[in-house]
Amino acid sequence: MEDTLIAEATPTVAEALRGQFDQFTRAERQLADALLAHYPVAGLSSITALAETAQVSTPTVVRLVKKLGFSGYPQFQARLRAELAETISSPVAKHERWAGTAPEAHILNRFADAAIDNLHRTLSRFDTESFDAVAELLADTNRQIAMVGGRITRSLADYLFTHMQVIRDGLSLVPSTSSTWPHYLLSMRPGDVLVVFDIRRYETELIRFVEMARAREVTIVLFTDQWGSPAVKHAQYVFPCRIEVPSAWDSTMVMLFVVEALIAAVQTQRWETTRDRFNELEGLFDEARLFKKFT
């Protein structure tokens, strides 16, 4: 299991770029921004084309690639191609890859090891300043907040929405039916916030929705995986979370952890109001006889 975890937990190029960003020169940061804005496609072009796109020299590309630990541009591109293959893997392909190298340990132990490793590695590169800034945004009642997820991740959007309802007003849960999305865009104003969940295989309609919201000057908060949804280029705040586990499906455990921590942070900032809303809600629960009372 240890060897499998090490192989699966190799940092993506995007993670390495973000993690080392402060150590880059000005030109290297400009190149890193260009790579992340169109990741991973930008890095699959020729070295000359990439340099022209980022408006840097080809030696700058070579230096950055070597700082990331690659022997040269061909090895760098090979990693990007492998990552691209990962992002479009079907559930069957993911299962076959894990099953082929599965150790003898029980699935519960293997799954737990992978999930815990995902959490540790996500937090080791986590941007706490962005987390605090997003908590401030979600606590600001002058902003309307919308949440949306994809085919699998919509449950996370629903979870965040349900808890935030207790904390504040001015929320909307965008349904998965894309034909209704223009109605939600109509109500979005500059400075409002859209929280988006998108993991591989990234959903074309969802990315378009994010693009349209950003065009209306809405602040985008994106929860994505270690490779990064194409929606990254429209987002002001990005939370990359590791999702690989020994399963045909990806794990959203780390995303849920971050969501729950975010809920706790917003609740703390607005505790006096939240406490009053909690008390009022409990009264409504009692009136509706929603929960069984044993006393």
Side-chain angles (χ1 to χ4, degrees), residues 5-66:
L5 275 178
I6 291 170
E8 291 297 336
T10 301
T12 65
V13 172
E15 287 176 323
L17 286 168
R18 294 188 189 102
Q20 299 180 44
F21 193 84
D22 291 341
Q23 303 167 28
F24 297 152
T25 65
R26 183 194 60 78
E28 289 166 353
R29 290 182 184 184
Q30 188 170 316
L31 174 57
D33 283 336
L35 284 165
L36 290 170
H38 300 281
Y39 186 83
V41 178
L44 297 177
S45 60
S46 69
I47 190 170
T48 304
L50 175 59
E52 289 177 355
T53 298
Q55 296 184 323
V56 299
S57 66
T58 51
T60 297
V61 178
V62 173
R63 282 197 305 271
L64 180 64
V65 163
K66 289 188 174 180

Side-chain angles (χ1 to χ4, degrees), residues 4 18 54 95 158 166 200 205 219 232 247 251 262:
T4 302
R18 294 188 189 102
H95 177 271
D158 192 348
V166 183
R200 67 172 181 188
E205 291 180 339
T219 299
V232 162
S247 169
S251 169
L262 196 55

Side-chain angles (χ1 to χ4, degrees), residues 20-165:
Q20 299 180 44
F21 193 84
D22 291 341
Q23 303 167 28
F24 297 152
T25 65
R26 183 194 60 78
E28 289 166 353
R29 290 182 184 184
Q30 188 170 316
L31 174 57
D33 283 336
L35 284 165
L36 290 170
H38 300 281
Y39 186 83
V41 178
L44 297 177
S45 60
S46 69
I47 190 170
T48 304
L50 175 59
E52 289 177 355
T53 298
Q55 296 184 323
V56 299
S57 66
T58 51
T60 297
V61 178
V62 173
R63 282 197 305 271
L64 180 64
V65 163
K66 289 188 174 180
K67 281 188 177 181
L68 294 175
F70 298 100
S71 60
Y73 197 65
Q75 187 187 36
F76 171 77
Q77 286 195 312
R79 172 68 64 81
L80 288 179
R81 290 191 188 96
E83 288 186 17
L84 184 58
E86 289 286 330
T87 65
I88 60 176
S89 293
S90 70
V92 172
K94 288 199 288 286
H95 177 271
E96 293 304 316
R97 184 175 67 253
W98 276 103
T101 58
E104 294 301 317
H106 192 279
I107 182 60
L108 281 171
N109 295 327
R110 288 190 283 125
F111 201 97
D113 286 344
I116 292 168
D117 189 68
N118 283 343
L119 181 59
H120 285 163
R121 292 184 179 270
T122 297
L123 292 180
S124 71
R125 299 181 178 89
F126 205 77
D127 184 351
T128 55
E129 290 185 4
S130 289
F131 179 91
D132 293 341
V134 170
E136 291 277 356
L137 287 174
L138 298 186
D140 184 356
T141 53
N142 291 318
R143 302 173 188 269
Q144 298 291 308
I145 312 293
M147 298 104 173
V148 65
R151 187 173 67 92
I152 299 298
T153 55
R154 66 175 180 265
S155 59
L156 291 169
D158 192 348
Y159 188 88
L160 176 60
F161 173 77
T162 300
H163 286 76
M164 287 294 295
Q165 273 188 309

Side-chain angles (χ1 to χ4, degrees), residues 190-208:
D192 288 348
V193 180
L194 175 62
V195 183
V196 185
F197 297 86
D198 189 32
I199 61 174
R200 67 172 181 188
R201 297 173 280 176
Y202 313 114
E203 301 188 31
T204 305
E205 291 180 339
L206 189 58
I207 295 163
R208 177 59 180 150

